[in-house]
Amino acid sequence: MIDIDTVLLAMAMAGLGLTTHVSAIRKASIKPLALAAVLFVWLVCGGFAINADITALLN
């Protein structure tokens, strides 16, 4: 089931990406892209911190 879920999620993400037009990204300017970059870093660092904390608690 997890493998099926992963494939379906990948297909959904690819579908979203395929409907994105480069011209729409250019029109949006740098602010949304900068926000996306900040949120990406926040989520990666937050996920790492949560994972490290849980691992430390369980060991």
Side-chain angles (χ1 to χ4, degrees), residues 12-54:
M13 296 301 285
L16 287 173
L18 290 173
T19 60
T20 302
H21 299 285
V22 175
S23 61
I25 295 172
R26 286 188 184 145
K27 278 187 208 177
S29 75
I30 194 71
K31 286 183 181 180
L33 294 176
L35 177 61
V38 169
L39 290 174
F40 174 76
V41 170
W42 177 261
L43 288 171
V44 168
C45 292
F48 177 77
I50 289 171
N51 194 5
D53 289 344
I54 290 174

